[in-house]
Amino acid sequence: LLLPWLLAGTSTAHGTAEQPKFPIPPTQTDAQIALLARQQVAAKEASEAATPHVLAFFASDGFRAAVRGCCPEAVAMSAGELLQRFRAEVRSAELAHAFPSEQDGAMTRGSHFKVQLGEEYGFFLNGWQVGLASANASAAVATPLLPPALGATLLPWTPGKVNPEDIAETSVFGCKEFADANKPTWQEASDRMVYVAHNMRRVDFGSDP
């Protein structure tokens, strides 16, 4: 949400940013809206099913003994109060995504968001969009780039190689599979999500991509 405001004072405001080679997608695509609606229903059902077990855990002697040393105030709270506090912490914890501030160099390889792309497109691209926007390809398709964490540089994704990001997005989060796993289109990429971490520990620094 802060990205358009942050970019307002950069080269985009001075008219020096490059024109995007792909169209700017809506804030939420139809596929994302439908996916979110399905996941909200599933999450509510899972939460209601898990609540009795969580309350039992918070009320257990083992849990009380484990937190007595670090959090004595928690011991004095009922299981219901602890659950309410935990839910409040979850709702207030930020969703964070770390990305390199350098324009070039080893830290900007692969499918990581880059400041330069933010200036060019004006929104926070997901990893698939970054792979397409960074590659020398047509406006229709391109081969995504291997994340550096998997030992890659700027090599294309190897056909037939397992892609953990794709597996997580389709099997865990329910995103639609690409028609061609090795050549997602810009529309297919735009239907995917931005990778974020739920910063429950409120860490004030990013990861090393």
Side-chain angles (χ1 to χ4, degrees):
L1 294 178
L2 288 176
L3 185 62
W5 176 79
L6 290 172
L7 296 178
T10 63
S11 59
T12 302
H14 300 287
T16 59
E18 296 182 11
Q19 291 297 315
K21 63 180 178 180
F22 294 104
I24 306 300
T27 303
Q28 278 189 301
T29 67
D30 291 341
Q32 290 173 331
I33 293 173
L35 175 61
L36 180 60
R38 293 195 303 271
Q39 293 291 10
Q40 286 176 329
V41 172
K44 186 175 185 297
E45 293 175 350
S47 176
E48 292 174 349
T51 294
H53 302 284
V54 175
L55 288 172
F57 174 71
F58 283 160
S60 67
D61 293 337
F63 173 80
R64 300 282 169 164
V67 300
R68 183 170 288 110
C70 69
C71 314
E73 70 279 4
V75 180
M77 299 172 67
S78 68
E81 290 172 331
L82 285 171
L83 179 58
Q84 185 177 12
R85 174 65 180 272
F86 176 75
R87 285 174 170 169
E89 292 286 344
V90 170
R91 292 189 184 102
S92 63
E94 66 182 351
L95 300 177
H97 180 105
F99 60 91
S101 60
E102 304 171 3
Q103 293 285 13
D104 298 302
M107 292 297 294
T108 60
R109 296 176 298 176
S111 58
H112 296 298
F113 177 85
K114 305 173 182 65
V115 174
Q116 182 179 4
L117 284 176
E119 294 176 343
E120 182 178 345
Y121 282 85
F123 72 97
F124 202 106
L125 286 73
N126 65 38
W128 301 101
Q129 290 171 321
V130 169
L132 288 165
S134 301
N136 293 322
S138 69
V141 298
T143 303
L145 307 179
L146 268 169
L150 299 181
T153 54
L154 285 176
L155 297 176
W157 189 266
T158 304
K161 187 177 180 65
V162 174
N163 184 334
E165 296 177 7
D166 191 34
I167 292 174
E169 291 176 4
T170 55
S171 63
V172 177
F173 296 101
C175 292
K176 184 180 179 180
E177 294 185 1
F178 298 136
D180 184 341
N182 296 307
K183 292 183 178 181
T185 66
W186 178 252
Q187 180 60 58
E188 289 176 324
S190 298
D191 288 337
R192 292 298 181 93
M193 304 174 294
V194 173
Y195 172 82
V196 296
H198 196 184
N199 193 12
M200 287 287 292
R201 292 185 177 273
R202 304 182 187 279
V203 177
D204 60 355
F205 58 89
S207 61
D208 185 353

